[in-house]
Amino acid sequence: MDTTLKGYWLGHSAFKFISPKGYTIYIDPFLKDNPSTPDDLKEVREADFILLTHGHEDHVGDTLEIAKNTGCKVVGIVELMGLLKNKGLNDDQAVEFNKGGTVRFDDFSVTMVSA
């Protein structure tokens, strides 16, 4: 069984991971206005999940545009998901959880911890 996780730093707080089963996962996709993100990685055409650490603009970044264009799931704390749904995120794309909680997906899980 392959357990390889491929990771790419995209500048500032943004990361892209490819899971062992090939899911594309972005963390804090602040890309278009991020001077550290390589130009060829500023446009996202494929995403399965976006994980958000918190609601600052330099972390949420391009989340709504990516979610709209790809239909990906957006994972974050309940209050932030509520704000994003008010700004147009579809209910069925929002995965809400709280500190101490864990959400499990096909080949990975995410636990929210205090930082």
Side-chain angles (χ1 to χ4, degrees):
M1 175 170 80
D2 182 17
T3 58
T4 303
L5 179 70
K6 296 177 185 171
Y8 309 90
W9 178 64
L10 303 177
H12 189 62
S13 62
F15 290 86
K16 176 183 178 181
F17 292 98
I18 307 298
S19 77
K21 290 189 178 178
Y23 293 107
T24 302
I25 305 158
Y26 283 87
I27 299 177
D28 292 345
F30 169 56
L31 306 173
K32 284 188 176 177
D33 293 329
N34 184 344
S36 299
T37 301
D39 288 340
D40 62 328
L41 298 175
K42 288 182 183 276
E43 292 288 330
V44 174
R45 290 179 173 73
E46 180 182 334
D48 297 298
F49 298 92
I50 294 174
L51 312 178
L52 295 173
T53 60
H54 63 282
H56 289 169
E57 185 57 36
D58 61 343
H59 292 259
V60 174
D62 304 299
T63 295
L64 289 173
E65 181 180 337
I66 295 167
K68 180 181 177 185
N69 292 339
T70 67
C72 69
K73 297 288 186 187
V74 180
V75 182
I77 199 161
V78 173
E79 295 83 359
L80 178 55
M81 293 298 97
L83 290 171
L84 293 177
K85 288 191 288 187
N86 284 339
K87 291 187 174 202
L89 180 67
N90 291 330
D91 284 344
D92 64 340
Q93 288 179 274
V95 179
E96 305 173 357
F97 68 132
N98 280 305
K99 287 184 181 180
T102 298
V103 290
R104 290 173 177 76
F105 301 103
D106 187 27
D107 69 339
F108 70 98
S109 62
V110 179
T111 300
M112 187 180 300
V113 298
S114 296

PDB file of all heavy atoms in Angstrom, residues 34-67:
ATOM      1  N   ASN A  34      -0.406  36.546  -3.717  1.00  0.00           N
ATOM      2  CA  ASN A  34       0.754  36.159  -2.919  1.00  0.00           C
ATOM      3  C   ASN A  34       2.016  36.273  -3.793  1.00  0.00           C
ATOM      4  O   ASN A  34       2.181  35.514  -4.742  1.00  0.00           O
ATOM      5  CB  ASN A  34       0.566  34.719  -2.438  1.00  0.00           C
ATOM      6  CG  ASN A  34       1.664  34.247  -1.526  1.00  0.00           C
ATOM      7  OD1 ASN A  34       2.725  34.837  -1.442  1.00  0.00           O
ATOM      8  ND2 ASN A  34       1.401  33.143  -0.844  1.00  0.00           N
ATOM      9  N   PRO A  35       2.896  37.213  -3.479  1.00  0.00           N
ATOM     10  CA  PRO A  35       4.092  37.383  -4.315  1.00  0.00           C
ATOM     11  C   PRO A  35       5.042  36.192  -4.264  1.00  0.00           C
ATOM     12  O   PRO A  35       5.883  36.042  -5.144  1.00  0.00           O
ATOM     13  CB  PRO A  35       4.752  38.642  -3.746  1.00  0.00           C
ATOM     14  CG  PRO A  35       4.219  38.784  -2.369  1.00  0.00           C
ATOM     15  CD  PRO A  35       2.855  38.180  -2.373  1.00  0.00           C
ATOM     16  N   SER A  36       4.892  35.319  -3.265  1.00  0.00           N
ATOM     17  CA  SER A  36       5.767  34.148  -3.152  1.00  0.00           C
ATOM     18  C   SER A  36       5.280  32.948  -3.959  1.00  0.00           C
ATOM     19  O   SER A  36       6.028  31.994  -4.158  1.00  0.00           O
ATOM     20  CB  SER A  36       5.906  33.727  -1.685  1.00  0.00           C
ATOM     21  OG  SER A  36       6.473  34.765  -0.933  1.00  0.00           O
ATOM     22  N   THR A  37       4.031  32.979  -4.395  1.00  0.00           N
ATOM     23  CA  THR A  37       3.492  31.857  -5.168  1.00  0.00           C
ATOM     24  C   THR A  37       3.994  31.945  -6.605  1.00  0.00           C
ATOM     25  O   THR A  37       3.822  32.979  -7.256  1.00  0.00           O
ATOM     26  CB  THR A  37       1.950  31.862  -5.162  1.00  0.00           C
ATOM     27  OG1 THR A  37       1.497  31.779  -3.815  1.00  0.00           O
ATOM     28  CG2 THR A  37       1.389  30.696  -5.957  1.00  0.00           C
ATOM     29  N   PRO A  38       4.596  30.874  -7.112  1.00  0.00           N
ATOM     30  CA  PRO A  38       5.036  30.882  -8.516  1.00  0.00           C
ATOM     31  C   PRO A  38       3.856  31.165  -9.451  1.00  0.00           C
ATOM     32  O   PRO A  38       2.745  30.676  -9.224  1.00  0.00           O
ATOM     33  CB  PRO A  38       5.575  29.466  -8.727  1.00  0.00           C
ATOM     34  CG  PRO A  38       5.930  28.983  -7.357  1.00  0.00           C
ATOM     35  CD  PRO A  38       4.934  29.620  -6.431  1.00  0.00           C
ATOM     36  N   ASP A  39       4.092  31.954 -10.475  1.00  0.00           N
ATOM     37  CA  ASP A  39       3.026  32.369 -11.393  1.00  0.00           C
ATOM     38  C   ASP A  39       2.261  31.185 -11.980  1.00  0.00           C
ATOM     39  O   ASP A  39       1.044  31.249 -12.143  1.00  0.00           O
ATOM     40  CB  ASP A  39       3.585  33.232 -12.527  1.00  0.00           C
ATOM     41  CG  ASP A  39       3.984  34.622 -12.055  1.00  0.00           C
ATOM     42  OD1 ASP A  39       3.493  35.056 -10.985  1.00  0.00           O
ATOM     43  OD2 ASP A  39       4.797  35.267 -12.740  1.00  0.00           O
ATOM     44  N   ASP A  40       2.952  30.101 -12.284  1.00  0.00           N
ATOM     45  CA  ASP A  40       2.285  28.964 -12.914  1.00  0.00           C
ATOM     46  C   ASP A  40       1.424  28.162 -11.934  1.00  0.00           C
ATOM     47  O   ASP A  40       0.724  27.241 -12.343  1.00  0.00           O
ATOM     48  CB  ASP A  40       3.299  28.053 -13.611  1.00  0.00           C
ATOM     49  CG  ASP A  40       4.306  27.441 -12.665  1.00  0.00           C
ATOM     50  OD1 ASP A  40       4.669  28.077 -11.656  1.00  0.00           O
ATOM     51  OD2 ASP A  40       4.750  26.309 -12.938  1.00  0.00           O
ATOM     52  N   LEU A  41       1.435  28.526 -10.640  1.00  0.00           N
ATOM     53  CA  LEU A  41       0.626  27.822  -9.645  1.00  0.00           C
ATOM     54  C   LEU A  41      -0.465  28.709  -9.049  1.00  0.00           C
ATOM     55  O   LEU A  41      -1.161  28.301  -8.126  1.00  0.00           O
ATOM     56  CB  LEU A  41       1.530  27.275  -8.532  1.00  0.00           C
ATOM     57  CG  LEU A  41       2.563  26.258  -8.989  1.00  0.00           C
ATOM     58  CD1 LEU A  41       3.479  25.874  -7.842  1.00  0.00           C
ATOM     59  CD2 LEU A  41       1.877  25.019  -9.560  1.00  0.00           C
ATOM     60  N   LYS A  42      -0.636  29.924  -9.562  1.00  0.00           N
ATOM     61  CA  LYS A  42      -1.636  30.846  -9.027  1.00  0.00           C
ATOM     62  C   LYS A  42      -3.066  30.477  -9.440  1.00  0.00           C
ATOM     63  O   LYS A  42      -4.011  30.773  -8.731  1.00  0.00           O
ATOM     64  CB  LYS A  42      -1.327  32.284  -9.449  1.00  0.00           C
ATOM     65  CG  LYS A  42      -0.112  32.854  -8.724  1.00  0.00           C
ATOM     66  CD  LYS A  42       0.143  34.289  -9.127  1.00  0.00           C
ATOM     67  CE  LYS A  42       1.380  34.837  -8.472  1.00  0.00           C
ATOM     68  NZ  LYS A  42       1.160  35.340  -7.116  1.00  0.00           N
ATOM     69  N   GLU A  43      -3.234  29.845 -10.576  1.00  0.00           N
ATOM     70  CA  GLU A  43      -4.550  29.400 -11.055  1.00  0.00           C
ATOM     71  C   GLU A  43      -4.739  27.931 -10.694  1.00  0.00           C
ATOM     72  O   GLU A  43      -3.916  27.094 -11.057  1.00  0.00           O
ATOM     73  CB  GLU A  43      -4.657  29.559 -12.569  1.00  0.00           C
ATOM     74  CG  GLU A  43      -4.671  30.984 -13.052  1.00  0.00           C
ATOM     75  CD  GLU A  43      -5.975  31.700 -12.729  1.00  0.00           C
ATOM     76  OE1 GLU A  43      -7.038  31.045 -12.665  1.00  0.00           O
ATOM     77  OE2 GLU A  43      -5.917  32.930 -12.541  1.00  0.00           O
ATOM     78  N   VAL A  44      -5.834  27.624 -10.014  1.00  0.00           N
ATOM     79  CA  VAL A  44      -6.123  26.245  -9.605  1.00  0.00           C
ATOM     80  C   VAL A  44      -7.224  25.701 -10.500  1.00  0.00           C
ATOM     81  O   VAL A  44      -8.320  26.259 -10.559  1.00  0.00           O
ATOM     82  CB  VAL A  44      -6.555  26.190  -8.128  1.00  0.00           C
ATOM     83  CG1 VAL A  44      -6.989  24.784  -7.746  1.00  0.00           C
ATOM     84  CG2 VAL A  44      -5.418  26.666  -7.236  1.00  0.00           C
ATOM     85  N   ARG A  45      -6.914  24.621 -11.176  1.00  0.00           N
ATOM     86  CA  ARG A  45      -7.891  23.995 -12.068  1.00  0.00           C
ATOM     87  C   ARG A  45      -8.466  22.714 -11.477  1.00  0.00           C
ATOM     88  O   ARG A  45      -9.503  22.228 -11.916  1.00  0.00           O
ATOM     89  CB  ARG A  45      -7.256  23.717 -13.425  1.00  0.00           C
ATOM     90  CG  ARG A  45      -6.977  24.985 -14.209  1.00  0.00           C
ATOM     91  CD  ARG A  45      -6.329  24.723 -15.548  1.00  0.00           C
ATOM     92  NE  ARG A  45      -6.199  25.912 -16.360  1.00  0.00           N
ATOM     93  CZ  ARG A  45      -5.330  26.893 -16.136  1.00  0.00           C
ATOM     94  NH1 ARG A  45      -4.525  26.834 -15.097  1.00  0.00           N
ATOM     95  NH2 ARG A  45      -5.281  27.939 -16.927  1.00  0.00           N
ATOM     96  N   GLU A  46      -7.769  22.150 -10.502  1.00  0.00           N
ATOM     97  CA  GLU A  46      -8.207  20.897  -9.890  1.00  0.00           C
ATOM     98  C   GLU A  46      -7.960  20.956  -8.397  1.00  0.00           C
ATOM     99  O   GLU A  46      -6.852  21.267  -7.952  1.00  0.00           O
ATOM    100  CB  GLU A  46      -7.443  19.725 -10.495  1.00  0.00           C
ATOM    101  CG  GLU A  46      -7.823  18.389  -9.937  1.00  0.00           C
ATOM    102  CD  GLU A  46      -6.996  17.254 -10.528  1.00  0.00           C
ATOM    103  OE1 GLU A  46      -6.513  17.389 -11.654  1.00  0.00           O
ATOM    104  OE2 GLU A  46      -6.843  16.248  -9.816  1.00  0.00           O
ATOM    105  N   ALA A  47      -9.000  20.676  -7.627  1.00  0.00           N
ATOM    106  CA  ALA A  47      -8.879  20.585  -6.171  1.00  0.00           C
ATOM    107  C   ALA A  47      -9.990  19.684  -5.668  1.00  0.00           C
ATOM    108  O   ALA A  47     -11.120  19.727  -6.166  1.00  0.00           O
ATOM    109  CB  ALA A  47      -8.979  21.964  -5.526  1.00  0.00           C
ATOM    110  N   ASP A  48      -9.660  18.855  -4.692  1.00  0.00           N
ATOM    111  CA  ASP A  48     -10.664  18.011  -4.051  1.00  0.00           C
ATOM    112  C   ASP A  48     -11.033  18.537  -2.669  1.00  0.00           C
ATOM    113  O   ASP A  48     -12.173  18.387  -2.237  1.00  0.00           O
ATOM    114  CB  ASP A  48     -10.141  16.575  -3.940  1.00  0.00           C
ATOM    115  CG  ASP A  48      -9.890  15.971  -5.307  1.00  0.00           C
ATOM    116  OD1 ASP A  48     -10.855  15.845  -6.087  1.00  0.00           O
ATOM    117  OD2 ASP A  48      -8.721  15.657  -5.612  1.00  0.00           O
ATOM    118  N   PHE A  49     -10.048  19.140  -1.993  1.00  0.00           N
ATOM    119  CA  PHE A  49     -10.254  19.655  -0.643  1.00  0.00           C
ATOM    120  C   PHE A  49      -9.455  20.930  -0.440  1.00  0.00           C
ATOM    121  O   PHE A  49      -8.347  21.063  -0.953  1.00  0.00           O
ATOM    122  CB  PHE A  49      -9.773  18.643   0.411  1.00  0.00           C
ATOM    123  CG  PHE A  49     -10.503  17.334   0.380  1.00  0.00           C
ATOM    124  CD1 PHE A  49     -10.030  16.285  -0.385  1.00  0.00           C
ATOM    125  CD2 PHE A  49     -11.663  17.161   1.119  1.00  0.00           C
ATOM    126  CE1 PHE A  49     -10.694  15.070  -0.420  1.00  0.00           C
ATOM    127  CE2 PHE A  49     -12.342  15.950   1.090  1.00  0.00           C
ATOM    128  CZ  PHE A  49     -11.859  14.903   0.319  1.00  0.00           C
ATOM    129  N   ILE A  50     -10.039  21.856   0.338  1.00  0.00           N
ATOM    130  CA  ILE A  50      -9.310  23.007   0.860  1.00  0.00           C
ATOM    131  C   ILE A  50      -9.432  22.941   2.371  1.00  0.00           C
ATOM    132  O   ILE A  50     -10.547  22.817   2.904  1.00  0.00           O
ATOM    133  CB  ILE A  50      -9.890  24.336   0.350  1.00  0.00           C
ATOM    134  CG1 ILE A  50      -9.691  24.474  -1.159  1.00  0.00           C
ATOM    135  CG2 ILE A  50      -9.259  25.520   1.099  1.00  0.00           C
ATOM    136  CD1 ILE A  50     -10.378  25.694  -1.756  1.00  0.00           C
ATOM    137  N   LEU A  51      -8.304  23.012   3.059  1.00  0.00           N
ATOM    138  CA  LEU A  51      -8.281  23.043   4.517  1.00  0.00           C
ATOM    139  C   LEU A  51      -7.888  24.449   4.945  1.00  0.00           C
ATOM    140  O   LEU A  51      -6.872  24.970   4.496  1.00  0.00           O
ATOM    141  CB  LEU A  51      -7.256  22.040   5.060  1.00  0.00           C
ATOM    142  CG  LEU A  51      -7.300  20.621   4.481  1.00  0.00           C
ATOM    143  CD1 LEU A  51      -6.187  19.774   5.086  1.00  0.00           C
ATOM    144  CD2 LEU A  51      -8.650  19.981   4.697  1.00  0.00           C
ATOM    145  N   LEU A  52      -8.706  25.060   5.801  1.00  0.00           N
ATOM    146  CA  LEU A  52      -8.441  26.423   6.249  1.00  0.00           C
ATOM    147  C   LEU A  52      -8.073  26.430   7.731  1.00  0.00           C
ATOM    148  O   LEU A  52      -8.792  25.864   8.553  1.00  0.00           O
ATOM    149  CB  LEU A  52      -9.668  27.310   6.017  1.00  0.00           C
ATOM    150  CG  LEU A  52     -10.042  27.510   4.555  1.00  0.00           C
ATOM    151  CD1 LEU A  52     -11.359  28.266   4.437  1.00  0.00           C
ATOM    152  CD2 LEU A  52      -8.933  28.233   3.807  1.00  0.00           C
ATOM    153  N   THR A  53      -6.962  27.088   8.039  1.00  0.00           N
ATOM    154  CA  THR A  53      -6.503  27.143   9.431  1.00  0.00           C
ATOM    155  C   THR A  53      -7.228  28.213  10.224  1.00  0.00           C
ATOM    156  O   THR A  53      -7.465  28.048  11.416  1.00  0.00           O
ATOM    157  CB  THR A  53      -4.990  27.394   9.505  1.00  0.00           C
ATOM    158  OG1 THR A  53      -4.685  28.650   8.877  1.00  0.00           O
ATOM    159  CG2 THR A  53      -4.221  26.267   8.826  1.00  0.00           C
ATOM    160  N   HIS A  54      -7.570  29.331   9.575  1.00  0.00           N
ATOM    161  CA  HIS A  54      -8.332  30.398  10.216  1.00  0.00           C
ATOM    162  C   HIS A  54      -8.779  31.397   9.149  1.00  0.00           C
ATOM    163  O   HIS A  54      -8.482  31.215   7.962  1.00  0.00           O
ATOM    164  CB  HIS A  54      -7.540  31.077  11.339  1.00  0.00           C
ATOM    165  CG  HIS A  54      -6.295  31.778  10.908  1.00  0.00           C
ATOM    166  ND1 HIS A  54      -5.112  31.128  10.621  1.00  0.00           N
ATOM    167  CD2 HIS A  54      -6.048  33.096  10.712  1.00  0.00           C
ATOM    168  CE1 HIS A  54      -4.192  32.017  10.274  1.00  0.00           C
ATOM    169  NE2 HIS A  54      -4.737  33.222  10.323  1.00  0.00           N
ATOM    170  N   GLY A  55      -9.492  32.440   9.576  1.00  0.00           N
ATOM    171  CA  GLY A  55     -10.182  33.295   8.634  1.00  0.00           C
ATOM    172  C   GLY A  55      -9.472  34.533   8.141  1.00  0.00           C
ATOM    173  O   GLY A  55     -10.089  35.346   7.468  1.00  0.00           O
ATOM    174  N   HIS A  56      -8.188  34.700   8.423  1.00  0.00           N
ATOM    175  CA  HIS A  56      -7.486  35.871   7.895  1.00  0.00           C
ATOM    176  C   HIS A  56      -7.406  35.779   6.371  1.00  0.00           C
ATOM    177  O   HIS A  56      -7.224  34.694   5.811  1.00  0.00           O
ATOM    178  CB  HIS A  56      -6.083  35.988   8.486  1.00  0.00           C
ATOM    179  CG  HIS A  56      -6.078  36.372   9.926  1.00  0.00           C
ATOM    180  ND1 HIS A  56      -4.943  36.320  10.693  1.00  0.00           N
ATOM    181  CD2 HIS A  56      -7.063  36.813  10.752  1.00  0.00           C
ATOM    182  CE1 HIS A  56      -5.228  36.718  11.927  1.00  0.00           C
ATOM    183  NE2 HIS A  56      -6.509  37.010  11.979  1.00  0.00           N
ATOM    184  N   GLU A  57      -7.509  36.939   5.721  1.00  0.00           N
ATOM    185  CA  GLU A  57      -7.551  36.980   4.257  1.00  0.00           C
ATOM    186  C   GLU A  57      -6.325  36.334   3.611  1.00  0.00           C
ATOM    187  O   GLU A  57      -6.421  35.735   2.542  1.00  0.00           O
ATOM    188  CB  GLU A  57      -7.707  38.423   3.768  1.00  0.00           C
ATOM    189  CG  GLU A  57      -7.882  38.540   2.274  1.00  0.00           C
ATOM    190  CD  GLU A  57      -9.067  37.763   1.711  1.00  0.00           C
ATOM    191  OE1 GLU A  57     -10.115  37.677   2.380  1.00  0.00           O
ATOM    192  OE2 GLU A  57      -8.937  37.224   0.592  1.00  0.00           O
ATOM    193  N   ASP A  58      -5.159  36.452   4.269  1.00  0.00           N
ATOM    194  CA  ASP A  58      -3.957  35.855   3.688  1.00  0.00           C
ATOM    195  C   ASP A  58      -3.878  34.351   3.950  1.00  0.00           C
ATOM    196  O   ASP A  58      -2.855  33.718   3.697  1.00  0.00           O
ATOM    197  CB  ASP A  58      -2.689  36.574   4.160  1.00  0.00           C
ATOM    198  CG  ASP A  58      -2.484  36.523   5.662  1.00  0.00           C
ATOM    199  OD1 ASP A  58      -3.447  36.225   6.400  1.00  0.00           O
ATOM    200  OD2 ASP A  58      -1.354  36.777   6.107  1.00  0.00           O
ATOM    201  N   HIS A  59      -4.971  33.773   4.415  1.00  0.00           N
ATOM    202  CA  HIS A  59      -5.089  32.318   4.556  1.00  0.00           C
ATOM    203  C   HIS A  59      -6.293  31.814   3.753  1.00  0.00           C
ATOM    204  O   HIS A  59      -6.182  30.838   3.040  1.00  0.00           O
ATOM    205  CB  HIS A  59      -5.203  31.925   6.030  1.00  0.00           C
ATOM    206  CG  HIS A  59      -3.940  32.172   6.782  1.00  0.00           C
ATOM    207  ND1 HIS A  59      -3.052  31.175   7.088  1.00  0.00           N
ATOM    208  CD2 HIS A  59      -3.389  33.318   7.244  1.00  0.00           C
ATOM    209  CE1 HIS A  59      -2.001  31.698   7.722  1.00  0.00           C
ATOM    210  NE2 HIS A  59      -2.197  32.999   7.831  1.00  0.00           N
ATOM    211  N   VAL A  60      -7.421  32.515   3.858  1.00  0.00           N
ATOM    212  CA  VAL A  60      -8.607  32.149   3.082  1.00  0.00           C
ATOM    213  C   VAL A  60      -8.348  32.389   1.596  1.00  0.00           C
ATOM    214  O   VAL A  60      -8.708  31.579   0.749  1.00  0.00           O
ATOM    215  CB  VAL A  60      -9.847  32.939   3.563  1.00  0.00           C
ATOM    216  CG1 VAL A  60     -11.046  32.672   2.661  1.00  0.00           C
ATOM    217  CG2 VAL A  60     -10.165  32.586   5.007  1.00  0.00           C
ATOM    218  N   GLY A  61      -7.723  33.524   1.286  1.00  0.00           N
ATOM    219  CA  GLY A  61      -7.281  33.827  -0.071  1.00  0.00           C
ATOM    220  C   GLY A  61      -8.287  33.539  -1.159  1.00  0.00           C
ATOM    221  O   GLY A  61      -9.348  34.152  -1.230  1.00  0.00           O
ATOM    222  N   ASP A  62      -7.993  32.580  -2.006  1.00  0.00           N
ATOM    223  CA  ASP A  62      -8.770  32.268  -3.206  1.00  0.00           C
ATOM    224  C   ASP A  62      -9.764  31.124  -2.997  1.00  0.00           C
ATOM    225  O   ASP A  62     -10.250  30.530  -3.956  1.00  0.00           O
ATOM    226  CB  ASP A  62      -7.812  31.928  -4.351  1.00  0.00           C
ATOM    227  CG  ASP A  62      -6.822  33.048  -4.604  1.00  0.00           C
ATOM    228  OD1 ASP A  62      -7.264  34.162  -4.935  1.00  0.00           O
ATOM    229  OD2 ASP A  62      -5.606  32.819  -4.439  1.00  0.00           O
ATOM    230  N   THR A  63     -10.082  30.830  -1.744  1.00  0.00           N
ATOM    231  CA  THR A  63     -10.930  29.684  -1.421  1.00  0.00           C
ATOM    232  C   THR A  63     -12.250  29.684  -2.172  1.00  0.00           C
ATOM    233  O   THR A  63     -12.621  28.683  -2.785  1.00  0.00           O
ATOM    234  CB  THR A  63     -11.187  29.617   0.096  1.00  0.00           C
ATOM    235  OG1 THR A  63      -9.946  29.361   0.758  1.00  0.00           O
ATOM    236  CG2 THR A  63     -12.170  28.521   0.443  1.00  0.00           C
ATOM    237  N   LEU A  64     -12.993  30.781  -2.116  1.00  0.00           N
ATOM    238  CA  LEU A  64     -14.320  30.797  -2.732  1.00  0.00           C
ATOM    239  C   LEU A  64     -14.251  30.588  -4.243  1.00  0.00           C
ATOM    240  O   LEU A  64     -15.060  29.838  -4.805  1.00  0.00           O
ATOM    241  CB  LEU A  64     -15.049  32.095  -2.395  1.00  0.00           C
ATOM    242  CG  LEU A  64     -15.499  32.214  -0.941  1.00  0.00           C
ATOM    243  CD1 LEU A  64     -16.046  33.606  -0.663  1.00  0.00           C
ATOM    244  CD2 LEU A  64     -16.526  31.144  -0.600  1.00  0.00           C
ATOM    245  N   GLU A  65     -13.294  31.197  -4.892  1.00  0.00           N
ATOM    246  CA  GLU A  65     -13.146  31.018  -6.340  1.00  0.00           C
ATOM    247  C   GLU A  65     -12.778  29.573  -6.681  1.00  0.00           C
ATOM    248  O   GLU A  65     -13.343  28.978  -7.607  1.00  0.00           O
ATOM    249  CB  GLU A  65     -12.076  31.967  -6.879  1.00  0.00           C
ATOM    250  CG  GLU A  65     -11.873  31.854  -8.363  1.00  0.00           C
ATOM    251  CD  GLU A  65     -10.797  32.801  -8.889  1.00  0.00           C
ATOM    252  OE1 GLU A  65     -10.511  33.806  -8.240  1.00  0.00           O
ATOM    253  OE2 GLU A  65     -10.246  32.492  -9.966  1.00  0.00           O
ATOM    254  N   ILE A  66     -11.845  29.011  -5.946  1.00  0.00           N
ATOM    255  CA  ILE A  66     -11.439  27.622  -6.195  1.00  0.00           C
ATOM    256  C   ILE A  66     -12.609  26.681  -5.960  1.00  0.00           C
ATOM    257  O   ILE A  66     -12.871  25.776  -6.760  1.00  0.00           O
ATOM    258  CB  ILE A  66     -10.229  27.238  -5.314  1.00  0.00           C
ATOM    259  CG1 ILE A  66      -9.005  28.059  -5.706  1.00  0.00           C
ATOM    260  CG2 ILE A  66      -9.945  25.739  -5.418  1.00  0.00           C
ATOM    261  CD1 ILE A  66      -7.857  27.975  -4.707  1.00  0.00           C
ATOM    262  N   ALA A  67     -13.328  26.876  -4.856  1.00  0.00           N
ATOM    263  CA  ALA A  67     -14.468  26.011  -4.540  1.00  0.00           C
ATOM    264  C   ALA A  67     -15.543  26.094  -5.616  1.00  0.00           C
ATOM    265  O   ALA A  67     -16.105  25.075  -6.032  1.00  0.00           O
ATOM    266  CB  ALA A  67     -15.034  26.380  -3.172  1.00  0.00           C
TER     267      ALA A  67
END
